[in-house]
């Protein structure tokens, strides 16, 4: 009997099982443990049932995870949309949320098909690192409340400002101190576990830390909060036909546009950051935008939260050793299996342990080691990084990144407008003795670099100071042949200056080689 050759799909699966299955499997479990509190926490903070956050996480893994675009970044509900979702639900009701998310997803797919996603590749490294640092700070601040089984305020500043009150409340509560001990123990395991090579090879540190914390809480019967999941399937409520009529409302359309832009920006900014964390295939931005749109369209049909790519889950995926997109697909499968079939298994995991994992992940997002050398060598980049991080903490991720990008553009414009002035004296010799006659000499002034309106005040000040230092009657020749670029404002100003200080009689031309860009 003739042997049937394996199909291409069978070859791919066989290759994955041989080379990448173990790494992707362990990575998916780590991402699952990181994603679980984020899915639940974002949903609760958004004013919707916790199960809807899990639905979005499942779609982000099983659907968006399979689509082309980025190979290692993980999608799900994100904190950056929390305030917007909360206001939309309060204003239009939970039933309208699905319509908003569905239309936003369709718009994302359209943007990706039109090639708009590629423009997000022009992102400053300092802005990306600042984004990571800002997210890390907000994440740590929020999860400190979860460590004490307390409810965190909404905004980044509120989280930080309320920390003294959290400390006071925790010190006076034995149950809160117990939860903090569980979370602190989890962080300690995360720090120390990699130093045990045999254990680190067997299990990733987050998985080991959560397992040990869960076992300790169960054995000692500690009074700490645990994960609660009820009725995942019952929470799925597709929007009705009447909800689509709300699209005629200008306010609803504005909310849809905000969903679209913020979710797209967060996803593609995250993709740029994730690409810098690994050496694998780079993100195809347009395809990734289409993938995110498809995920949001499905989430909208299910009446769930909007999704974006989430840097915390994505960085955990990369650092856990993921090799292919199967790790993110499997993390969605774990969310689905455990939430639907084994909700009791989720109920034994202490929230404080998961908060410890997130505190540790947030700390690793802050580039403390790189900040010192960056400040010494590229101070402007360090300023952009810090401004971006602070802006994210004080506003939100989208506005913070926009502020960082504007800072980066302003910095680049300032640095590329370097211009300097050089002057030399050219004399004519008269008489038999060959002595220099000052009245016959001309000062040649060369302007070098790139002249634009940002440097015009300083440039004119230098030229005027030079003119005032010259003896009366000495002509000036302005040579602009060394300029790489001169904009219209500088060109007009330099022409006027050259005419005012031209040689009084004869001599060289007053203005030489003005670039055509002026």
């Amino acid at each position: 009997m003739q042997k049937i050759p394996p199909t291409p799909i069978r070859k791919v699966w066989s290759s994955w099982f041989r080379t990448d299955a173990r790494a992707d499997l362990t990575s998916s479990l780590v991402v699952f443990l990181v994603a679980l509190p984020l899915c639940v926490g974002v949903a609760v903070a958004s004013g919707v049932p916790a199960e809807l956050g899990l639905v979005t996480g499942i779609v982000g893994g099983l659907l968006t995870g399979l689509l082309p675009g980025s190979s290692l970044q993980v999608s799900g509900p994100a904190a950056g949309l929390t305030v917007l979702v909360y206001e939309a639900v309060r204003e239009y009701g939970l039933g309208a949320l699905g319509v908003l998310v569905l239309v936003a997803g369709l718009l994302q797919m359209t943007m990706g098909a039109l090639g708009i996603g590629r423009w997000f590749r022009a992102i400053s490294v300092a802005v990306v690192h600042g984004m990571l640092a800002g997210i890390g700070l907000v994440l740590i601040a929020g999860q400190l409340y979860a460590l004490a089984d307390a409810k965190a305020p909404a905004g980044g500043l509120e989280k930080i400002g309320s920390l003294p009150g959290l400390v006071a409340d925790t010190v006076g509560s034995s149950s809160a101190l117990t939860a903090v001990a569980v979370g602190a123990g989890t962080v300690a395991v995360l720090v120390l576990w990699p130093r045990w090579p045999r254990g680190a090879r067997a299990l990733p540190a987050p998985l080991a830390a959560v397992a040990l914390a869960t076992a300790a809480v169960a054995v000692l019967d500690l009074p700490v909060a645990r994960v609660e999941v009820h009725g995942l399937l019952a929470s799925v409520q597709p929007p009705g036909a009447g909800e689509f009529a709300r699209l005629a409302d200008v306010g609803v359309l504005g909310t849809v546009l905000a969903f679209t832009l913020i979710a797209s920006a967060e996803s593609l900014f995250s993709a740029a950051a994730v690409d810098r964390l690994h050496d694998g295939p780079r993100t195809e931005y347009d395809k990734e935008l289409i993938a995110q749109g498809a995920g949001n369209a499905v989430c909208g049909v299910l009446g769930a939260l909007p999704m974006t790519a989430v840097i915390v889950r994505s960085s955990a995926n990369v650092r856990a050793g993921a090799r292919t997109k199967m790790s993110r697909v499997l993390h969605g499968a774990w969310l689905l299996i455990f939430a639907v079939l084994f909700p009791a298994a989720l109920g034994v995991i202490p929230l404080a342990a998961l908060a410890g994992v997130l505190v540790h992940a947030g700390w690793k997002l802050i580039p403390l080691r790189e900040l010192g050398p960056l400040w010494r060598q590229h101070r402007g980049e360090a300023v952009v990084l810090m401004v971006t991080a602070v802006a994210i903490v004080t506003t939100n991720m989208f506005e913070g990144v926009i502020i960082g990008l504007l800072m980066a553009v302003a910095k680049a414009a300032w640095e590329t407008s370097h211009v300097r002035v050089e002057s030399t004296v050219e004399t004519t010799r008269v008489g038999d003795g060959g002595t220099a006659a000052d009245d016959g000499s001309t000062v040649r002034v060369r302007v070098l670099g790139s002249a634009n309106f940002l440097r015009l005040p300083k440039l004119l000040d230098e030229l005027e100071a030079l003119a005032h230092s010259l003896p009366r009657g000495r002509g000036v020749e302005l040579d602009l042949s060394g300029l790489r670029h001169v904009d219209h404002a500088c060109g007009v100003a330099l022409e006027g200056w050259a005419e005012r200080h031209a040689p009084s009689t004869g001599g060289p031309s007053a203005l030489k080689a003005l670039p055509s860009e002026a």
Side-chain angles (χ1 to χ4, degrees):
M1 180 181 293
Q2 185 179 3
K3 186 176 181 181
I4 300 176
T7 63
I9 296 178
R10 184 177 177 184
K11 288 182 178 180
V12 171
W13 277 106
S14 177
S15 174
W16 178 76
F17 274 110
R18 288 197 310 269
T19 59
D20 302 322
R22 180 177 179 181
D24 287 342
L25 180 62
T26 55
S27 300
S28 68
L29 290 171
V30 172
V31 178
F32 161 69
L33 291 172
V34 173
L36 180 61
L38 285 176
C39 291
V40 175
V42 169
V44 173
S46 301
V48 304
E51 291 80 3
L52 292 182
L54 292 175
V55 172
T56 300
I58 292 166
V59 174
L62 297 182
L63 175 62
T64 307
L66 279 174
L67 296 176
S70 175
S71 59
L72 296 181
Q73 82 169 351
V74 183
S75 300
L81 290 171
T82 299
V83 175
L84 189 58
V85 173
Y86 181 85
E87 292 296 327
V89 171
R90 184 179 61 85
E91 183 73 19
Y92 308 113
L94 181 59
L97 179 62
V99 174
L100 300 176
V101 177
L102 170 60
V103 178
L106 296 176
L107 289 176
Q108 283 183 297
M109 296 173 68
T110 303
M111 291 167 59
L114 294 176
I116 296 176
R118 292 175 293 174
W119 291 98
F120 284 84
R121 290 179 294 182
I123 300 175
S124 166
V125 176
V127 174
V128 173
H129 285 294
M131 180 187 74
L132 296 176
I135 293 173
L137 290 171
V138 174
L139 182 63
I140 291 172
Q143 292 305 309
L144 288 176
Y145 292 86
L147 281 176
D149 286 345
K151 183 178 180 181
L157 283 179
E158 290 82 358
K159 289 183 176 70
I160 295 174
S162 301
L163 287 177
L166 173 67
V167 173
D169 294 340
T170 301
V171 171
S173 171
S174 60
S175 60
L177 289 174
T178 302
V180 169
V182 172
T186 304
V187 174
V189 173
L190 288 168
V191 174
L192 298 176
W193 189 265
R195 300 183 183 182
W196 182 31
R198 182 178 299 178
R201 286 194 299 268
L203 285 175
L207 189 59
V210 172
L212 291 173
T214 302
V217 169
V219 171
L220 300 177
D221 193 22
L222 300 178
V224 298
R226 295 169 173 82
V227 176
E228 294 183 5
V229 179
H230 302 288
L232 178 65
L233 297 179
S235 67
V236 175
Q237 296 181 356
E243 301 295 344
F244 286 90
R246 292 181 176 271
L247 292 174
D249 189 336
V250 176
V252 171
L253 292 178
T255 303
V256 168
L257 184 60
F259 274 167
T260 304
L261 295 179
I262 295 176
S264 302
E266 288 198 22
S267 296
L268 298 181
F269 290 154
S270 174
V274 173
D275 280 350
R276 291 181 170 91
L277 298 177
H278 67 89
D279 299 324
R282 305 294 92 179
T283 296
E284 298 180 73
Y285 285 81
D286 294 327
K287 292 182 179 180
E288 178 63 16
L289 193 54
I290 294 174
Q292 294 294 327
N296 272 320
V298 173
C299 286
V301 171
L302 298 176
L305 289 171
M307 77 163 58
T308 71
V310 186
I311 186 60
V312 176
R313 278 168 252 186
S314 303
S315 60
N317 190 39
V318 174
R319 291 193 174 98
R323 297 182 181 179
T324 72
K325 63 176 62 179
M326 283 304 299
S327 61
R328 58 186 190 176
V329 175
L330 287 172
H331 113 275
W334 304 142
L335 286 173
L336 177 61
I337 292 172
F338 281 91
V340 174
L341 301 180
F342 308 108
L346 295 176
V348 302
I349 301 175
L351 287 177
L354 296 173
V357 172
L358 293 177
V359 167
H360 183 260
W363 179 259
K364 294 178 72 172
L365 291 176
I366 304 173
L368 293 176
R369 294 183 180 179
E370 294 83 0
L371 191 56
L374 187 65
W375 178 261
R376 292 190 294 269
Q377 300 171 12
H378 305 283
R379 189 158 297 180
E381 292 288 300
V383 171
V384 172
L385 188 157
M386 291 185 288
V387 168
T388 304
V390 172
I392 288 175
V393 172
T394 55
T395 58
N396 55 58
M397 179 178 168
F398 181 72
E399 293 179 8
V401 171
I402 293 299
I403 292 172
L405 287 174
L406 293 176
M407 283 281 297
V409 170
K411 168 186 166 294
W414 182 260
E415 290 183 345
T416 56
S417 63
H418 282 307
V419 62
R420 69 180 189 275
V421 177
E422 296 179 353
S423 62
T424 57
V425 178
E426 298 178 354
T427 62
T428 59
R429 297 184 180 277
V430 296
D432 294 337
T435 58
D438 286 343
D439 291 340
S441 64
T442 299
V443 176
R444 185 184 183 197
V445 179
R446 297 191 67 206
V447 182
L448 308 171
S450 179
N452 61 45
F453 69 96
L454 294 173
R455 297 285 183 168
L456 183 56
K458 180 181 179 181
L459 177 59
L460 290 178
D461 287 344
E462 291 187 17
L463 291 174
E464 291 296 338
L466 176 64
H468 288 313
S469 67
L470 297 177
R472 180 176 300 177
R474 178 169 292 179
V476 177
E477 174 195 348
L478 187 61
D479 184 359
L480 303 180
S481 61
L483 281 177
R484 298 187 301 273
H485 169 77
V486 55
D487 64 11
H488 181 70
C490 283
V492 172
L494 292 174
E495 284 179 341
W497 189 91
E499 291 176 359
R500 293 195 304 272
H501 299 88
S504 56
T505 58
S509 169
L511 186 66
K512 296 177 66 177
L514 181 65
S516 60
E517 289 90 341

